[in-house]
Amino acid sequence: MSNEAPRSAAKKQLPEHFKAYTGVWVYIELERGQVHSVSWELLGEGRKLADQLKVPLAAVVLGPPDGSARAAVADSFCYGADRAYLMESALLADYRNEPYTRAMTDLVNTHKPEVLLLGATTLGRDLAGSVATTLKTGLTADCTELAIDAERSLAATRPTFGGSLLCTIMTLNVRPQMATIRPRVMAMPQRVDAPVGEVVEVPFDMAEDTIITKVIDFIADSSRDKVQLAYADIVVAGGLGLGNADNLRHVRELARVLGGEWGCSRPLVQKGWAPADRQIGQTGKTIRPKLYIAAGISGAIQHRVGVEGADLILAINTDKAAPILDFAHYALIADAAVALPALTTAFARRLGPAVRLAG
Amino acid sequence: MHIVVCIKQVPDSAQIRVHPVTNTIMRQGVPTIINPYDLFSLEAALAIRDEHGGTVTVLSMGPPMAADSLRRALSIGADRAVLLTDRFFAGSDTLATSYALATAITKIASDQPVDMVFCGKQTIDGDTAQVGPGIARRLGFHQLTYVESVETIDRARRTVIVRRRAEGGVQVLRSELPCMVTMLEGSAVVRRGSMADALRAARADVTTWSAKDAGIEDISQCGLRGSPTVVRKVFAPQPRKEKAVLIEASAHDPVHMAEATIDTLFAALPGLNAELHAAAAR
């Protein structure tokens, strides 16, 4: 069913063989030579957990023997790792569930971490589910907050029931305690140059002919199509308060004038007003812009957890009692369909001739 | 081809309300639906059956009322429905759920071998995306998640080619049957089902299995006992101490409203004005 089963008699009685498990691990997601930035965000968060537990923070790097994995190891030290476990093999060139699950479970069984964090990307979620099932351990998806409790267990908090409440989930009696965290939920740590950590190289002993699934092609998204919503400094988004799908153009137009990205709340995707890659919130994108303008969005928890990292939130809403006013910094009580075009015109005028309004 | 599609009955999330005092979910009167992501997987399974022939069995685990969702799946076109329901399953987390469902699939396969299992990408109530991979792992099926389209199935060679959504692009994967697939939303238009299917579904028996019927011998892997995760607390988020500052402006004068808003934003974010000008100049 789900992670959210209530239970009462949940006491920590860690079996003896799990007591040797120590250290915090972060899986470094390396694909086609690039590390996904969520991995660095998790090293920042992992550093805090490791310091609190007084244990080392380790990066786990799986990849091909072309130098990219070694570069990722070096970068891991710059983002706070004390140690890196490195598995290099041509079989790990592209992500495939089978060899990656085998590599990760072998590493865990040999080197025994108490906490294992992965990014909640398509890769991280595909891998985490397989690894946790193989290890028969607990896995908490899409955490928004991690902490260490008084008994040194990981307390993983995530939205539940479609984002209407938060719940804190523990894996008390199995190790490692696994969690996935979505990109941009945790802050990017400061990069420190040139520290050196310990590299533990581990051989990978699978043979290609035992791996059934083959990658026969990779079609890269053209950068033009790729929505940079998660990384934009300015985001303008619309919700049901816009009234109709056509009014979304006011959202797009203001975003364009501000040089930002546009997004929407979940109901708009469900109604088919906007594509899924524009959705902001727990099941869509998490954003951390400098300025977030939420127009006609009421502010359900599942939306809130996706935008709380913004430096400044401006809500435009006709309803003074809307939940978004509980976490926005400023609010304009107005009809979004009226306020948005007025803002677009006013911004364009202030920013001068460099910005042209679309006909 | 024998395809098993796992579906979950979930509360319609748009209608969930939280009790303001007790912080519990108010389930009364909330309509239930088939998890919307499951429908894309059901559609993909039906399309494969229509092309290659065979049987689509829908499987769900839940309370007796989950039979309604299975009947709905039959009315869309599934051939057979199995409901796994037992008090031993209460409180299952994703690991315990994948154990129960994988065991039931093994039982289903003892009558007719299973070539493919389809699961939803994730559910709208749990949002974990963990049960599909858990089932694949337990059955030893090849795991193909976030699939945009099943391109070809070669029944003679037992190979399958799919397009899988990855970070930054699409992987084209060749794998083998048996496999477990989760479909991406929007991968197909879900059919409405024929009148004949609707009539058949209304009369159809949903096979109901207890844990024992499903061949589950180790009850300790089910329900709360079989779940390594525990929920320590469920709570509503703390509201910020101060509410949003209301921007003073006449609601009837959009120009004044916009100017007041921009002044407020520039005062609150000192670098914003310069940044916007720099960005506009580029």
Side-chain angles (χ1 to χ4, degrees), chain B residues 196-240:
Chain B
D197 281 330
L199 293 171
R200 184 175 57 84
R203 289 193 304 266
D205 282 327
V206 169
T207 305
T208 301
W209 284 352
S210 66
K212 193 162 166 253
D213 297 336
I216 292 171
E217 283 163 11
D218 188 1
I219 289 298
S220 74
Q221 292 200 53
C222 298
L224 284 176
R225 283 171 71 197
S227 300
T229 61
V230 297
V231 177
R232 175 152 289 178
K233 61 173 176 172
V234 178
F235 57 103
Q238 285 288 318
R240 279 192 327 130

mmCIF file of all heavy atoms in Angstrom, chain B residues 196-240:
data_model
loop_
_atom_site.group_PDB
_atom_site.id
_atom_site.type_symbol
_atom_site.label_atom_id
_atom_site.label_comp_id
_atom_site.label_asym_id
_atom_site.label_seq_id
_atom_site.Cartn_x
_atom_site.Cartn_y
_atom_site.Cartn_z
ATOM 1 N N ALA B 196 -20.232 -3.916 -24.237
ATOM 2 C CA ALA B 196 -20.145 -5.349 -23.911
ATOM 3 C C ALA B 196 -19.266 -5.562 -22.674
ATOM 4 O O ALA B 196 -19.600 -6.360 -21.788
ATOM 5 C CB ALA B 196 -19.569 -6.115 -25.103
ATOM 6 N N ASP B 197 -18.157 -4.815 -22.612
ATOM 7 C CA ASP B 197 -17.269 -4.939 -21.455
ATOM 8 C C ASP B 197 -17.960 -4.442 -20.177
ATOM 9 O O ASP B 197 -17.794 -5.016 -19.099
ATOM 10 C CB ASP B 197 -15.967 -4.158 -21.677
ATOM 11 C CG ASP B 197 -14.995 -4.918 -22.575
ATOM 12 O OD1 ASP B 197 -15.026 -6.161 -22.550
ATOM 13 O OD2 ASP B 197 -14.219 -4.256 -23.295
ATOM 14 N N ALA B 198 -18.729 -3.376 -20.321
ATOM 15 C CA ALA B 198 -19.437 -2.833 -19.157
ATOM 16 C C ALA B 198 -20.430 -3.859 -18.617
ATOM 17 O O ALA B 198 -20.533 -4.055 -17.401
ATOM 18 C CB ALA B 198 -20.148 -1.541 -19.541
ATOM 19 N N LEU B 199 -21.147 -4.510 -19.532
ATOM 20 C CA LEU B 199 -22.123 -5.525 -19.118
ATOM 21 C C LEU B 199 -21.426 -6.724 -18.484
ATOM 22 O O LEU B 199 -21.851 -7.256 -17.473
ATOM 23 C CB LEU B 199 -22.967 -5.976 -20.323
ATOM 24 C CG LEU B 199 -23.898 -4.900 -20.884
ATOM 25 C CD1 LEU B 199 -24.522 -5.348 -22.195
ATOM 26 C CD2 LEU B 199 -24.996 -4.552 -19.867
ATOM 27 N N ARG B 200 -20.297 -7.116 -19.111
ATOM 28 C CA ARG B 200 -19.528 -8.246 -18.597
ATOM 29 C C ARG B 200 -19.005 -7.930 -17.185
ATOM 30 O O ARG B 200 -19.072 -8.754 -16.270
ATOM 31 C CB ARG B 200 -18.353 -8.519 -19.545
ATOM 32 C CG ARG B 200 -17.505 -9.731 -19.202
ATOM 33 C CD ARG B 200 -16.449 -9.958 -20.290
ATOM 34 N NE ARG B 200 -15.590 -8.776 -20.499
ATOM 35 C CZ ARG B 200 -14.510 -8.501 -19.772
ATOM 36 N NH1 ARG B 200 -14.123 -9.311 -18.827
ATOM 37 N NH2 ARG B 200 -13.798 -7.414 -20.014
ATOM 38 N N ALA B 201 -18.510 -6.705 -17.011
ATOM 39 C CA ALA B 201 -17.934 -6.314 -15.723
ATOM 40 C C ALA B 201 -18.985 -6.321 -14.619
ATOM 41 O O ALA B 201 -18.721 -6.708 -13.485
ATOM 42 C CB ALA B 201 -17.297 -4.929 -15.831
ATOM 43 N N ALA B 202 -20.192 -5.892 -14.982
ATOM 44 C CA ALA B 202 -21.261 -5.819 -13.989
ATOM 45 C C ALA B 202 -21.596 -7.208 -13.447
ATOM 46 O O ALA B 202 -21.964 -7.366 -12.284
ATOM 47 C CB ALA B 202 -22.494 -5.167 -14.609
ATOM 48 N N ARG B 203 -21.472 -8.215 -14.317
ATOM 49 C CA ARG B 203 -21.804 -9.585 -13.900
ATOM 50 C C ARG B 203 -20.588 -10.358 -13.399
ATOM 51 O O ARG B 203 -20.732 -11.409 -12.797
ATOM 52 C CB ARG B 203 -22.387 -10.359 -15.109
ATOM 53 C CG ARG B 203 -23.775 -9.912 -15.522
ATOM 54 C CD ARG B 203 -24.376 -10.916 -16.480
ATOM 55 N NE ARG B 203 -23.522 -11.145 -17.658
ATOM 56 C CZ ARG B 203 -23.667 -10.486 -18.816
ATOM 57 N NH1 ARG B 203 -24.606 -9.590 -18.944
ATOM 58 N NH2 ARG B 203 -22.863 -10.733 -19.817
ATOM 59 N N ALA B 204 -19.400 -9.845 -13.684
ATOM 60 C CA ALA B 204 -18.185 -10.641 -13.457
ATOM 61 C C ALA B 204 -17.919 -10.877 -11.973
ATOM 62 O O ALA B 204 -18.250 -10.047 -11.130
ATOM 63 C CB ALA B 204 -16.984 -9.940 -14.075
ATOM 64 N N ASP B 205 -17.339 -12.019 -11.716
ATOM 65 C CA ASP B 205 -16.876 -12.292 -10.362
ATOM 66 C C ASP B 205 -15.458 -11.775 -10.236
ATOM 67 O O ASP B 205 -14.614 -12.039 -11.089
ATOM 68 C CB ASP B 205 -16.847 -13.810 -10.111
ATOM 69 C CG ASP B 205 -18.232 -14.333 -9.831
ATOM 70 O OD1 ASP B 205 -19.027 -13.585 -9.244
ATOM 71 O OD2 ASP B 205 -18.512 -15.480 -10.220
ATOM 72 N N VAL B 206 -15.220 -11.040 -9.150
ATOM 73 C CA VAL B 206 -13.847 -10.681 -8.835
ATOM 74 C C VAL B 206 -13.327 -11.782 -7.910
ATOM 75 O O VAL B 206 -13.906 -12.031 -6.857
ATOM 76 C CB VAL B 206 -13.784 -9.304 -8.143
ATOM 77 C CG1 VAL B 206 -12.395 -9.046 -7.577
ATOM 78 C CG2 VAL B 206 -14.174 -8.210 -9.135
ATOM 79 N N THR B 207 -12.279 -12.470 -8.347
ATOM 80 C CA THR B 207 -11.701 -13.519 -7.513
ATOM 81 C C THR B 207 -11.100 -12.876 -6.274
ATOM 82 O O THR B 207 -10.310 -11.934 -6.379
ATOM 83 C CB THR B 207 -10.591 -14.252 -8.292
ATOM 84 O OG1 THR B 207 -11.165 -14.719 -9.512
ATOM 85 C CG2 THR B 207 -10.034 -15.421 -7.499
ATOM 86 N N THR B 208 -11.504 -13.327 -5.106
ATOM 87 C CA THR B 208 -10.991 -12.735 -3.866
ATOM 88 C C THR B 208 -10.116 -13.749 -3.149
ATOM 89 O O THR B 208 -10.542 -14.878 -2.904
ATOM 90 C CB THR B 208 -12.164 -12.296 -2.970
ATOM 91 O OG1 THR B 208 -12.952 -11.350 -3.700
ATOM 92 C CG2 THR B 208 -11.653 -11.640 -1.698
ATOM 93 N N TRP B 209 -8.898 -13.348 -2.880
ATOM 94 C CA TRP B 209 -7.933 -14.222 -2.219
ATOM 95 C C TRP B 209 -7.544 -13.688 -0.847
ATOM 96 O O TRP B 209 -7.230 -12.507 -0.698
ATOM 97 C CB TRP B 209 -6.645 -14.343 -3.059
ATOM 98 C CG TRP B 209 -6.768 -15.234 -4.261
ATOM 99 C CD1 TRP B 209 -7.815 -16.052 -4.591
ATOM 100 C CD2 TRP B 209 -5.784 -15.385 -5.305
ATOM 101 N NE1 TRP B 209 -7.541 -16.723 -5.762
ATOM 102 C CE2 TRP B 209 -6.316 -16.329 -6.215
ATOM 103 C CE3 TRP B 209 -4.534 -14.826 -5.537
ATOM 104 C CZ2 TRP B 209 -5.609 -16.717 -7.365
ATOM 105 C CZ3 TRP B 209 -3.833 -15.211 -6.672
ATOM 106 C CH2 TRP B 209 -4.365 -16.145 -7.579
ATOM 107 N N SER B 210 -7.517 -14.568 0.116
ATOM 108 C CA SER B 210 -6.882 -14.252 1.393
ATOM 109 C C SER B 210 -5.381 -14.463 1.216
ATOM 110 O O SER B 210 -4.939 -14.931 0.163
ATOM 111 C CB SER B 210 -7.400 -15.180 2.491
ATOM 112 O OG SER B 210 -6.965 -16.510 2.203
ATOM 113 N N ALA B 211 -4.611 -14.141 2.233
ATOM 114 C CA ALA B 211 -3.161 -14.363 2.158
ATOM 115 C C ALA B 211 -2.888 -15.841 1.855
ATOM 116 O O ALA B 211 -2.054 -16.175 1.006
ATOM 117 C CB ALA B 211 -2.499 -13.957 3.475
ATOM 118 N N LYS B 212 -3.621 -16.720 2.522
ATOM 119 C CA LYS B 212 -3.415 -18.159 2.340
ATOM 120 C C LYS B 212 -3.765 -18.580 0.905
ATOM 121 O O LYS B 212 -3.018 -19.339 0.272
ATOM 122 C CB LYS B 212 -4.291 -18.903 3.351
ATOM 123 C CG LYS B 212 -3.968 -20.359 3.490
ATOM 124 C CD LYS B 212 -4.562 -20.906 4.793
ATOM 125 C CE LYS B 212 -4.534 -22.431 4.765
ATOM 126 N NZ LYS B 212 -5.867 -23.026 4.574
ATOM 127 N N ASP B 213 -4.902 -18.058 0.402
ATOM 128 C CA ASP B 213 -5.306 -18.383 -0.982
ATOM 129 C C ASP B 213 -4.219 -17.988 -1.982
ATOM 130 O O ASP B 213 -4.042 -18.627 -3.011
ATOM 131 C CB ASP B 213 -6.585 -17.622 -1.370
ATOM 132 C CG ASP B 213 -7.777 -18.014 -0.517
ATOM 133 O OD1 ASP B 213 -7.775 -19.133 0.028
ATOM 134 O OD2 ASP B 213 -8.698 -17.183 -0.384
ATOM 135 N N ALA B 214 -3.532 -16.865 -1.679
ATOM 136 C CA ALA B 214 -2.528 -16.353 -2.623
ATOM 137 C C ALA B 214 -1.215 -17.122 -2.515
ATOM 138 O O ALA B 214 -0.265 -16.838 -3.239
ATOM 139 C CB ALA B 214 -2.286 -14.868 -2.365
ATOM 140 N N GLY B 215 -1.178 -18.064 -1.612
ATOM 141 C CA GLY B 215 0.045 -18.858 -1.471
ATOM 142 C C GLY B 215 1.061 -18.244 -0.526
ATOM 143 O O GLY B 215 2.238 -18.609 -0.536
ATOM 144 N N ILE B 216 0.603 -17.277 0.279
ATOM 145 C CA ILE B 216 1.534 -16.638 1.212
ATOM 146 C C ILE B 216 1.679 -17.521 2.452
ATOM 147 O O ILE B 216 0.706 -17.771 3.172
ATOM 148 C CB ILE B 216 1.043 -15.224 1.593
ATOM 149 C CG1 ILE B 216 1.146 -14.324 0.364
ATOM 150 C CG2 ILE B 216 1.860 -14.661 2.764
ATOM 151 C CD1 ILE B 216 0.507 -12.978 0.517
ATOM 152 N N GLU B 217 2.869 -18.024 2.656
ATOM 153 C CA GLU B 217 3.108 -18.902 3.805
ATOM 154 C C GLU B 217 3.712 -18.134 4.972
ATOM 155 O O GLU B 217 3.481 -18.467 6.121
ATOM 156 C CB GLU B 217 4.032 -20.058 3.392
ATOM 157 C CG GLU B 217 3.264 -21.105 2.590
ATOM 158 C CD GLU B 217 4.168 -22.037 1.812
ATOM 159 O OE1 GLU B 217 5.386 -22.013 2.044
ATOM 160 O OE2 GLU B 217 3.637 -22.772 0.969
ATOM 161 N N ASP B 218 4.494 -17.099 4.639
ATOM 162 C CA ASP B 218 5.198 -16.368 5.688
ATOM 163 C C ASP B 218 4.474 -15.060 5.997
ATOM 164 O O ASP B 218 4.763 -14.024 5.427
ATOM 165 C CB ASP B 218 6.639 -16.103 5.237
ATOM 166 C CG ASP B 218 7.478 -15.521 6.362
ATOM 167 O OD1 ASP B 218 6.935 -15.343 7.477
ATOM 168 O OD2 ASP B 218 8.670 -15.249 6.125
ATOM 169 N N ILE B 219 3.524 -15.146 6.931
ATOM 170 C CA ILE B 219 2.732 -13.970 7.293
ATOM 171 C C ILE B 219 3.607 -12.873 7.910
ATOM 172 O O ILE B 219 3.280 -11.695 7.861
ATOM 173 C CB ILE B 219 1.609 -14.409 8.274
ATOM 174 C CG1 ILE B 219 0.555 -15.238 7.524
ATOM 175 C CG2 ILE B 219 0.937 -13.231 8.943
ATOM 176 C CD1 ILE B 219 -0.163 -14.504 6.407
ATOM 177 N N SER B 220 4.744 -13.270 8.465
ATOM 178 C CA SER B 220 5.602 -12.263 9.108
ATOM 179 C C SER B 220 6.190 -11.282 8.097
ATOM 180 O O SER B 220 6.740 -10.260 8.471
ATOM 181 C CB SER B 220 6.733 -12.943 9.892
ATOM 182 O OG SER B 220 7.697 -13.455 8.999
ATOM 183 N N GLN B 221 6.076 -11.595 6.789
ATOM 184 C CA GLN B 221 6.552 -10.633 5.781
ATOM 185 C C GLN B 221 5.438 -9.688 5.329
ATOM 186 O O GLN B 221 5.632 -8.882 4.435
ATOM 187 C CB GLN B 221 7.130 -11.374 4.568
ATOM 188 C CG GLN B 221 8.425 -12.107 4.894
ATOM 189 C CD GLN B 221 9.223 -12.402 3.645
ATOM 190 O OE1 GLN B 221 9.518 -11.520 2.845
ATOM 191 N NE2 GLN B 221 9.572 -13.664 3.444
ATOM 192 N N CYS B 222 4.234 -9.858 5.931
ATOM 193 C CA CYS B 222 3.088 -9.040 5.527
ATOM 194 C C CYS B 222 2.751 -7.995 6.595
ATOM 195 O O CYS B 222 3.133 -8.134 7.755
ATOM 196 C CB CYS B 222 1.858 -9.912 5.324
ATOM 197 S SG CYS B 222 2.054 -11.124 4.018
ATOM 198 N N GLY B 223 1.984 -7.000 6.160
ATOM 199 C CA GLY B 223 1.413 -6.030 7.094
ATOM 200 C C GLY B 223 2.473 -5.319 7.921
ATOM 201 O O GLY B 223 3.611 -5.135 7.491
ATOM 202 N N LEU B 224 2.071 -4.932 9.110
ATOM 203 C CA LEU B 224 2.979 -4.181 9.978
ATOM 204 C C LEU B 224 4.251 -4.952 10.281
ATOM 205 O O LEU B 224 5.346 -4.399 10.288
ATOM 206 C CB LEU B 224 2.277 -3.860 11.310
ATOM 207 C CG LEU B 224 1.250 -2.737 11.294
ATOM 208 C CD1 LEU B 224 0.580 -2.614 12.651
ATOM 209 C CD2 LEU B 224 1.922 -1.418 10.930
ATOM 210 N N ARG B 225 4.106 -6.264 10.531
ATOM 211 C CA ARG B 225 5.282 -7.059 10.905
ATOM 212 C C ARG B 225 6.291 -7.134 9.767
ATOM 213 O O ARG B 225 7.497 -7.205 10.005
ATOM 214 C CB ARG B 225 4.861 -8.476 11.293
ATOM 215 C CG ARG B 225 4.262 -8.574 12.678
ATOM 216 C CD ARG B 225 3.677 -9.955 12.918
ATOM 217 N NE ARG B 225 4.694 -10.978 13.058
ATOM 218 C CZ ARG B 225 4.455 -12.292 12.954
ATOM 219 N NH1 ARG B 225 3.235 -12.722 12.682
ATOM 220 N NH2 ARG B 225 5.420 -13.168 13.111
ATOM 221 N N GLY B 226 5.796 -7.133 8.546
ATOM 222 C CA GLY B 226 6.693 -7.244 7.405
ATOM 223 C C GLY B 226 7.205 -5.913 6.887
ATOM 224 O O GLY B 226 7.859 -5.857 5.848
ATOM 225 N N SER B 227 6.870 -4.836 7.596
ATOM 226 C CA SER B 227 7.229 -3.487 7.121
ATOM 227 C C SER B 227 8.398 -2.914 7.911
ATOM 228 O O SER B 227 8.257 -2.649 9.107
ATOM 229 C CB SER B 227 6.019 -2.553 7.251
ATOM 230 O OG SER B 227 4.945 -3.040 6.468
ATOM 231 N N PRO B 228 9.555 -2.715 7.276
ATOM 232 C CA PRO B 228 10.675 -2.133 8.018
ATOM 233 C C PRO B 228 10.457 -0.669 8.393
ATOM 234 O O PRO B 228 11.073 -0.184 9.345
ATOM 235 C CB PRO B 228 11.858 -2.273 7.047
ATOM 236 C CG PRO B 228 11.263 -2.443 5.701
ATOM 237 C CD PRO B 228 9.926 -3.097 5.909
ATOM 238 N N THR B 229 9.595 0.034 7.664
ATOM 239 C CA THR B 229 9.385 1.443 8.012
ATOM 240 C C THR B 229 8.242 1.585 9.007
ATOM 241 O O THR B 229 7.287 0.814 8.982
ATOM 242 C CB THR B 229 9.053 2.313 6.784
ATOM 243 O OG1 THR B 229 7.851 1.835 6.190
ATOM 244 C CG2 THR B 229 10.177 2.285 5.764
ATOM 245 N N VAL B 230 8.381 2.560 9.883
ATOM 246 C CA VAL B 230 7.301 2.884 10.809
ATOM 247 C C VAL B 230 7.017 4.379 10.702
ATOM 248 O O VAL B 230 7.915 5.171 10.453
ATOM 249 C CB VAL B 230 7.669 2.545 12.279
ATOM 250 C CG1 VAL B 230 7.896 1.072 12.443
ATOM 251 C CG2 VAL B 230 8.881 3.329 12.742
ATOM 252 N N VAL B 231 5.757 4.712 10.875
ATOM 253 C CA VAL B 231 5.386 6.127 10.855
ATOM 254 C C VAL B 231 5.448 6.650 12.274
ATOM 255 O O VAL B 231 4.724 6.189 13.147
ATOM 256 C CB VAL B 231 3.973 6.314 10.267
ATOM 257 C CG1 VAL B 231 3.582 7.787 10.316
ATOM 258 C CG2 VAL B 231 3.933 5.808 8.841
ATOM 259 N N ARG B 232 6.359 7.564 12.506
ATOM 260 C CA ARG B 232 6.494 8.100 13.865
ATOM 261 C C ARG B 232 5.419 9.141 14.135
ATOM 262 O O ARG B 232 4.832 9.173 15.189
ATOM 263 C CB ARG B 232 7.879 8.707 14.059
ATOM 264 C CG ARG B 232 8.026 9.389 15.402
ATOM 265 C CD ARG B 232 9.432 9.383 15.904
ATOM 266 N NE ARG B 232 9.874 8.063 16.322
ATOM 267 C CZ ARG B 232 11.107 7.816 16.761
ATOM 268 N NH1 ARG B 232 11.984 8.780 16.808
ATOM 269 N NH2 ARG B 232 11.450 6.602 17.126
ATOM 270 N N LYS B 233 5.180 10.020 13.187
ATOM 271 C CA LYS B 233 4.100 10.989 13.410
ATOM 272 C C LYS B 233 3.563 11.517 12.088
ATOM 273 O O LYS B 233 4.255 11.503 11.076
ATOM 274 C CB LYS B 233 4.559 12.140 14.308
ATOM 275 C CG LYS B 233 5.703 12.951 13.738
ATOM 276 C CD LYS B 233 5.976 14.175 14.607
ATOM 277 C CE LYS B 233 7.191 14.931 14.086
ATOM 278 N NZ LYS B 233 7.433 16.201 14.735
ATOM 279 N N VAL B 234 2.323 11.931 12.159
ATOM 280 C CA VAL B 234 1.669 12.577 11.022
ATOM 281 C C VAL B 234 1.228 13.948 11.516
ATOM 282 O O VAL B 234 0.659 14.059 12.596
ATOM 283 C CB VAL B 234 0.447 11.760 10.546
ATOM 284 C CG1 VAL B 234 -0.256 12.462 9.396
ATOM 285 C CG2 VAL B 234 0.882 10.357 10.115
ATOM 286 N N PHE B 235 1.528 14.974 10.750
ATOM 287 C CA PHE B 235 1.235 16.323 11.265
ATOM 288 C C PHE B 235 1.003 17.307 10.137
ATOM 289 O O PHE B 235 1.408 17.072 8.996
ATOM 290 C CB PHE B 235 2.371 16.814 12.169
ATOM 291 C CG PHE B 235 3.737 16.835 11.504
ATOM 292 C CD1 PHE B 235 4.304 18.026 11.060
ATOM 293 C CD2 PHE B 235 4.444 15.659 11.305
ATOM 294 C CE1 PHE B 235 5.550 18.045 10.451
ATOM 295 C CE2 PHE B 235 5.697 15.664 10.681
ATOM 296 C CZ PHE B 235 6.247 16.858 10.262
ATOM 297 N N ALA B 236 0.353 18.402 10.499
ATOM 298 C CA ALA B 236 0.164 19.488 9.539
ATOM 299 C C ALA B 236 1.370 20.411 9.666
ATOM 300 O O ALA B 236 1.928 20.561 10.745
ATOM 301 C CB ALA B 236 -1.121 20.241 9.860
ATOM 302 N N PRO B 237 1.823 21.008 8.571
ATOM 303 C CA PRO B 237 2.995 21.868 8.672
ATOM 304 C C PRO B 237 2.695 23.108 9.511
ATOM 305 O O PRO B 237 1.579 23.595 9.528
ATOM 306 C CB PRO B 237 3.285 22.245 7.218
ATOM 307 C CG PRO B 237 2.014 22.034 6.497
ATOM 308 C CD PRO B 237 1.254 20.974 7.230
ATOM 309 N N GLN B 238 3.733 23.570 10.195
ATOM 310 C CA GLN B 238 3.611 24.783 10.991
ATOM 311 C C GLN B 238 3.384 25.970 10.061
ATOM 312 O O GLN B 238 4.146 26.163 9.125
ATOM 313 C CB GLN B 238 4.934 25.033 11.733
ATOM 314 C CG GLN B 238 5.154 24.123 12.918
ATOM 315 C CD GLN B 238 4.233 24.479 14.069
ATOM 316 O OE1 GLN B 238 4.032 25.657 14.352
ATOM 317 N NE2 GLN B 238 3.646 23.472 14.694
ATOM 318 N N PRO B 239 2.363 26.753 10.332
ATOM 319 C CA PRO B 239 2.274 27.987 9.559
ATOM 320 C C PRO B 239 3.424 28.912 9.977
ATOM 321 O O PRO B 239 3.889 28.832 11.109
ATOM 322 C CB PRO B 239 0.922 28.582 9.945
ATOM 323 C CG PRO B 239 0.464 27.850 11.152
ATOM 324 C CD PRO B 239 1.293 26.610 11.319
ATOM 325 N N ARG B 240 3.882 29.759 9.056
ATOM 326 C CA ARG B 240 4.894 30.737 9.442
ATOM 327 C C ARG B 240 4.287 31.652 10.488
ATOM 328 O O ARG B 240 3.083 31.857 10.518
ATOM 329 C CB ARG B 240 5.319 31.557 8.229
ATOM 330 C CG ARG B 240 6.337 30.829 7.372
ATOM 331 C CD ARG B 240 6.960 31.764 6.355
ATOM 332 N NE ARG B 240 6.056 32.798 5.882
ATOM 333 C CZ ARG B 240 6.356 34.089 5.848
ATOM 334 N NH1 ARG B 240 7.529 34.505 6.246
ATOM 335 N NH2 ARG B 240 5.495 34.958 5.376
#
